[in-house]
Amino acid sequence: MTDDRAALRRELRERRRAIPAAARIAAAEAVAGRLQAFAGMPERGYVAGYWAMDSEIALHVWQLRLPKGVVYCLPALGDDGLLRFAPWRPGDPLVTNRYGIPEPDTSPSSLLEADALALAVVPLVGFDSAGNRLGMGAGWYDRSFAFRRERSAPPWLVGAAFSAQRVDALPAAPWDVPLDAVCSETETLLIAPHA
């Protein structure tokens, strides 16, 4: 991570935190509708979301509206630096991981690999129109979905964001995995396939 990326990350997190509560609630509702309408949204199978932290856009509205044949999953940190995904419903037990983020309290044998998902909605700090994503900097999503640099979806990778998190351009690192789309409260940005 360069100092410029760190500065941009701080600036975009501040932008996100400045969004008023009423606008956050409305944005979560709008993003849920956009995710439901996304062409890659399955009628059955596994989809992943995330536990919203640090002013990230919440996915609870989307989770509650999933088709009956779709199982919602949350990420769990693996000792090997990869995310695995655990089916989760409100009320299921949670534990706090090393970053203070709740994740399902489940046995490792019940976790799914990233390629078992039909769609993954990923958190982000910033994004651009080319599908580049600025995350928190630890690389969990890029490592876990690295196989997507070599093959097309599924799983579809969709960023969930506030429109205030969009920037003109983000420099892509060789390990970055581009998104297929970004859903914000104002638009669904479909990304052209990357060469």
Side-chain angles (χ1 to χ4, degrees):
M1 179 177 79
T2 67
D3 289 338
D4 291 339
R5 264 176 101 103
L8 180 59
R9 194 173 276 118
R10 283 191 299 273
E11 176 190 330
L12 291 172
R13 288 172 75 192
E14 286 304 317
R15 268 193 220 173
R16 193 171 68 188
R17 290 177 187 137
I19 298 169
R24 289 176 181 293
I25 293 167
E29 182 78 30
V31 166
R34 292 183 184 288
L35 288 168
Q36 288 302 120
F38 178 66
M41 180 64 205
E43 287 297 316
R44 63 186 47 77
Y46 296 100
V47 300
Y50 56 84
W51 192 277
M53 300 288 290
D54 189 31
S55 308
E56 292 168 336
I57 198 158
L59 297 179
H60 59 280
V61 174
W62 175 61
Q63 179 190 5
L64 294 173
R65 293 183 183 165
L66 290 173
K68 289 191 185 306
V70 172
V71 178
Y72 185 79
C73 299
L74 285 174
L77 305 180
D79 292 337
D80 59 357
L82 298 177
L83 297 172
R84 304 299 189 296
F85 297 87
W88 185 82
R89 293 176 304 195
D92 286 353
L94 295 162
V95 294
T96 302
N97 68 27
R98 70 184 94 165
Y99 298 109
I101 302 169
E103 60 183 45
D105 185 11
T106 186
S107 87
S109 64
S110 66
L111 298 175
L112 302 167
E113 299 293 331
D115 64 357
L117 302 170
L119 178 141
V121 179
V122 300
L124 52 83
V125 176
F127 69 97
D128 67 15
S129 61
N132 296 310
R133 171 188 170 270
L134 180 67
M136 290 298 292
W140 286 93
Y141 282 92
D142 290 318
R143 284 190 306 275
S144 301
F145 291 99
F147 63 90
R148 276 297 319 277
R149 288 195 303 267
E150 307 298 323
R151 73 172 217 222
S152 59
W156 295 96
L157 301 178
V158 180
F162 298 101
S163 58
Q165 294 173 260
R166 187 173 182 167
V167 297
D168 290 336
L170 288 170
W175 57 82
D176 287 340
V177 178
L179 299 169
D180 297 302
V182 178
C183 292
S184 75
E185 76 277 23
T186 60
E187 69 178 327
T188 298
L189 175 65
L190 299 175
I191 313 299
H194 294 74

